[in-house]
Amino acid sequence: GQGVDEPLSATGFRQADAAGLFLSNVKFTHVFSSDLLRAKQTAAAILGKNKFCRDLEIKYDARLRERKYGVAEGRPLADLKAMAKDAGEQCPSFTPSGGETLDEVRERARDFFEFLCQLAVELEQKEHGSVGAPGRSSATSGEHFVFPWVNHCSEAEPSSEGSGSSAILDANILVVSHGAYMRNWIGYFVSDLNCTLPVNFTKSQLSSVSPNTGVSHFVIKLGNGNSLKPEITCVCLNQDSHL
């Protein structure tokens, strides 16, 4: 939850370093992290291993915090499950006293995602407004977008070929957050924004919580600079081959 702001454990640091090595060939244009310590340390470890953007500023955002669990925070998961059972509810949808509902978490995720879309639109507008400045697409060399999970996931990869560079906003954004929060964010992508999922994807995969430092990759296309109608493709979800 939010109320217990513990640092990473020794295992957590090893996992964060492994994620950093896994993503070391990916050049990010922006990095956002939850402002909780465990997420901050994870983001720092990932950038620390990166070949291209080790000095990129990490921006911390409270909208990326884990779901607030109220009276259940700092207690074992078994206690939360017992509370849900006593209330006659299923654990994932149960809201302990003082906690956030799933709708409230999703609203935070929606607000942050719309902020990212607007950021990308403004970035593109700024670049096109600079006379003689090369577009990001033409300046991007292949090694900057070497995603290491191509052989493990769907074939949907970012590309400006055949679609015109104006249709692609080349921001490559790393977001470091938390399991329950990200499950709600992905649910928002699928149910509200009709995200395209990899072939043979199951509902159980969609509802599962990411392992620590699991990596999910989404390609977001904002046609004609329209941040209100994103076209979203899930390339991979909760990838953990680095662990």
Side-chain angles (χ1 to χ4, degrees), residues 124-143:
E124 185 75 357
Q125 290 174 341
K126 182 178 179 181
E127 289 184 351
H128 281 289
S130 300
V131 178
R136 186 179 296 274
S137 294
S138 62
T140 300
S141 57
E143 74 271 11

Side-chain angles (χ1 to χ4, degrees), residues 182-236:
M182 290 188 292
R183 178 171 61 182
N184 279 270
W185 187 350
I186 292 165
Y188 161 66
F189 274 2
V190 173
S191 63
D192 292 31
L193 299 180
N194 299 314
C195 173
T196 300
L197 297 171
V199 179
N200 299 324
F201 205 71
T202 66
K203 288 186 177 180
S204 62
Q205 288 174 291
L206 186 62
S207 62
S208 63
V209 174
S210 174
N212 288 337
T213 71
V215 177
S216 296
H217 178 200
F218 295 88
V219 178
I220 318 293
K221 293 184 179 180
L222 306 173
N224 299 318
N226 187 349
S227 64
L228 299 179
K229 293 184 178 180
E231 177 186 329
I232 306 176
T233 300
C234 177
V235 178
C236 69

Side-chain angles (χ1 to χ4, degrees), residues 1-200:
Q2 299 181 9
V4 181
D5 196 14
E6 290 289 320
L8 290 176
S9 64
T11 298
F13 277 112
R14 287 195 297 271
Q15 292 172 329
D17 284 344
L21 288 172
F22 184 63
L23 298 171
S24 61
N25 286 319
V26 182
K27 183 174 182 179
F28 297 105
T29 58
H30 303 77
V31 179
F32 292 92
S33 169
S34 158
D35 60 353
L36 296 178
L37 181 57
R38 56 193 185 274
K40 287 182 174 182
Q41 292 174 327
T42 300
I46 291 173
L47 280 193
K49 301 289 185 181
N50 197 277
K51 296 178 181 178
F52 302 107
C53 48
R54 192 169 296 175
D55 297 325
L56 191 62
E57 179 187 4
I58 302 172
K59 296 184 179 180
Y60 305 110
D61 198 305
R63 289 174 292 185
L64 293 173
R65 288 180 181 178
E66 180 60 291
R67 182 185 180 190
K68 184 178 180 182
Y69 284 95
V71 296
E73 294 199 343
R75 298 169 64 175
L77 179 60
D79 287 5
L80 178 63
K81 291 180 177 179
M83 291 179 192
K85 184 177 180 180
D86 290 343
E89 298 183 34
Q90 295 294 317
C91 190
S93 58
F94 171 67
T95 303
S97 177
E100 280 183 297
T101 66
L102 294 182
D103 285 343
E104 288 172 333
V105 177
R106 184 170 294 199
E107 179 62 23
R108 276 202 286 128
R110 183 196 62 79
D111 186 59
F112 182 76
F113 178 63
E114 290 180 353
F115 157 75
L116 289 186
C117 289
Q118 187 59 38
L119 174 71
V121 168
E122 291 174 357
L123 175 66
E124 185 75 357
Q125 290 174 341
K126 182 178 179 181
E127 289 184 351
H128 281 289
S130 300
V131 178
R136 186 179 296 274
S137 294
S138 62
T140 300
S141 57
E143 74 271 11
H144 289 177
F145 294 101
V146 179
F147 295 101
W149 47 84
V150 172
N151 295 328
H152 304 282
C153 307
S154 79
E155 296 179 355
E157 281 293 291
S159 172
S160 59
E161 295 180 6
S163 59
S165 61
S166 62
I168 303 295
L169 302 181
D170 287 328
N172 195 31
I173 303 172
L174 172 67
V175 177
V176 180
S177 186
H178 308 268
Y181 175 89
M182 290 188 292
R183 178 171 61 182
N184 279 270
W185 187 350
I186 292 165
Y188 161 66
F189 274 2
V190 173
S191 63
D192 292 31
L193 299 180
N194 299 314
C195 173
T196 300
L197 297 171
V199 179
N200 299 324

